[in-house]
Amino acid sequence: MSSGNNASANLAVAIALLFAGALYIYFSSRSVSDPISDFQNYVDSLRRIAYPVDELEAVLDMAATRNNKTVIIAMVNKAYVKEVGGGRTMLDLFLESFWEGEGTLPLLDHLVVVAADQTAYDRCRFKRLHCYKMETEGIDLEGEKVYMSKDFIEMMWRRTRLLLDVLSRGYHLIFTDTDVMWLRSPLSRLSNNESLDMQISVDSNNGMGGHLINTGFYHVRSNNKTISLFQKWYDMRLEWTDMKEQDVLKKLLDSGFFDQLGLNVGFLNTTEFSGFCQDSPDMGAVTTVHANCCRHISAKVSDLTLVLGDWKRYKASRVNSKWSPHVECGRSWSDAHYIPRL
């Protein structure tokens, strides 16, 4: 045998040994007892190295649940990661609710925090979360965007475009505002009926046939129908320039566009998916609490801190009681001298 053939044979043996060693190290470090799943994950990791993906895809892939590619998405900017009063931030309260909630802590592994500026992105990275910095070319989304201001409306549309991108990549999503406290895992309630394409929260159970939808919390399955909805929804910003995205989505719902697409939509009742507009009467059933019907961050942080206090007392006693009054949020609407936080 020639020296060239010997070298080739030795190289092949070396490659085989390296591959076998890599497999041994990988599997020996895993605690999961599913070798087929482990091998598939290993192959996927090699594929990602060989065929690099963009930053958003990489973050989504790391955060997604492996059984059905679901991600939880929240969005923050500098105002949501800066301290309010006694050193609390909106992001701190949001994450604390996962810690205090029942069955919610493991869900942080599937949370993607979308940062609208560098300060928010740096804080997200500091907290070792799955972080993605959204492109915001042409607009400053750093400071607090007070409800219904021009920048607030623009930020909501940028958010809608990002979520359209996520759905188009084949990921199911749960979108949550960071002023939503996660007190129980909503996954069983959201996934029980797989015939529903979208489930969305409401401000109140008005019983009048209409739905006062709220885009601060919703679940969407990725399919052709929901992608078409989000594309139409985003395109409508050009026609309704003075309206926030929530009101435009309500117009699409009321116009029958959902029915035209064949979308099956569920509306989450406020007993389980509560908010300041209509408190849940049952702490034994409540899943999330949203600081809706509130104008600015300082008021939300104050009243949501009380919500977490109420929840901790309930966990200790299991006695249902009324929520603390949302005094600061009530006052926020008449606070003409409020200065948005930069």
Side-chain angles (χ1 to χ4, degrees):
M1 183 180 293
S2 67
S3 60
N5 289 338
N6 285 332
S8 298
N10 291 337
L11 178 60
V13 171
I15 292 174
L17 289 173
L18 285 173
F19 183 73
L23 285 176
Y24 174 79
I25 293 171
Y26 179 79
F27 289 127
S28 64
S29 66
R30 301 283 291 177
S31 60
V32 179
S33 58
D34 183 356
I36 295 176
S37 176
D38 279 356
F39 182 75
Q40 184 59 53
N41 289 339
Y42 178 72
V43 171
D44 289 344
S45 69
L46 292 179
R47 185 181 296 117
R48 287 192 293 274
I49 293 171
Y51 305 100
V53 296
D54 63 23
E55 183 181 353
L56 177 57
E57 182 69 30
V59 173
L60 293 171
D61 182 70
M62 285 189 292
T65 56
R66 294 304 168 192
N67 58 334
N68 67 358
K69 292 185 69 174
T70 297
V71 291
I72 302 167
I73 297 181
M75 183 174 168
V76 296
N77 67 358
K78 181 180 178 181
Y80 285 80
V81 302
K82 287 182 63 178
E83 293 79 7
V84 177
R88 310 295 291 277
T89 73
M90 184 67 77
L91 180 60
D92 289 337
L93 279 175
F94 177 65
L95 297 177
E96 184 180 346
S97 75
F98 283 82
W99 179 265
E100 295 292 345
E102 296 179 346
T104 50
L105 188 57
L107 299 181
L108 287 178
D109 290 338
H110 308 298
L111 171 67
V112 174
V113 175
V114 176
D117 55 65
Q118 190 62 43
T119 300
Y121 181 72
D122 291 342
R123 182 62 62 92
C124 176
R125 296 276 298 185
F126 176 76
K127 291 184 176 293
R128 298 183 180 276
L129 303 167
H130 296 301
C131 312
Y132 173 72
K133 188 172 185 295
M134 183 174 67
E135 293 297 326
T136 57
E137 184 178 351
I139 184 172
D140 174 20
L141 297 181
E142 187 173 70
E144 179 181 1
K145 308 307 174 189
V146 175
Y147 183 74
M148 286 309 295
S149 65
K150 180 180 178 181
D151 285 348
F152 172 87
I153 293 173
E154 179 62 29
M155 186 163 67
M156 296 302 99
W157 283 121
R158 294 294 178 106
R159 182 179 85 183
T160 304
R161 184 176 68 180
L162 176 77
L163 297 178
L164 168 60
D165 192 358
V166 172
L167 292 172
S168 299
R169 293 166 185 257
Y171 292 90
H172 311 306
L173 65 87
I174 300 172
F175 177 79
T176 174
D177 278 342
T178 49
D179 61 352
V180 175
M181 301 293 98
W182 286 51
L183 305 182
R184 289 187 174 91
S185 172
L187 294 187
S188 62
R189 291 172 170 84
L190 296 176
S191 62
N192 277 343
N193 190 343
E194 295 188 1
S195 67
L196 293 175
D197 301 299
M198 183 175 187
Q199 293 169 278
I200 187 166
S201 62
V202 297
D203 283 340
S204 65
N205 302 323
N206 58 21
M208 301 295 290
H211 297 284
L212 301 175
I213 60 172
N214 190 299
T215 53
F217 185 93
Y218 54 85
H219 175 228
V220 189
R221 298 184 187 278
S222 173
N223 57 43
N224 290 337
K225 293 181 288 185
T226 57
I227 292 170
S228 297
L229 170 65
F230 271 67
Q231 186 63 65
K232 175 67 172 179
W233 184 15
Y234 181 65
D235 290 344
M236 290 282 286
R237 78 195 187 285
L238 302 175
E239 181 177 349
W240 301 96
T241 56
D242 59 340
M243 294 180 66
K244 65 180 184 296
E245 37 64 74
Q246 178 175 292
D247 294 338
V248 174
L249 185 64
K250 181 71 162 61
K251 276 188 170 291
L252 287 175
L253 174 64
D254 292 343
S255 71
F257 186 71
F258 284 54
D259 294 333
Q260 293 175 31
L261 291 176
L263 274 164
N264 294 316
V265 184
F267 302 95
L268 303 171
N269 68 75
T270 58
T271 299
E272 294 180 337
F273 296 87
S274 181
F276 289 178
C277 298
Q278 186 175 67
D279 287 324
S280 170
D282 187 357
M283 290 187 178
V286 71
T287 300
T288 60
V289 177
H290 185 191
N292 50 10
C293 291
C294 194
R295 183 167 172 259
H296 54 64
I297 291 177
S298 296
K300 291 183 177 188
V301 168
S302 177
D303 286 348
L304 285 175
T305 299
L306 296 178
V307 166
L308 284 181
D310 294 337
W311 173 249
K312 292 174 186 178
R313 284 187 290 274
Y314 168 78
K315 284 201 304 178
S317 66
R318 295 294 166 177
V319 175
N320 190 51
S321 61
K322 290 186 177 181
W323 301 96
S324 298
H326 316 306
V327 174
E328 294 303 320
C329 280
R331 290 173 177 168
S332 68
W333 296 102
S334 58
D335 189 358
H337 303 290
Y338 180 75
I339 300 175
R341 301 166 65 234
L342 301 177

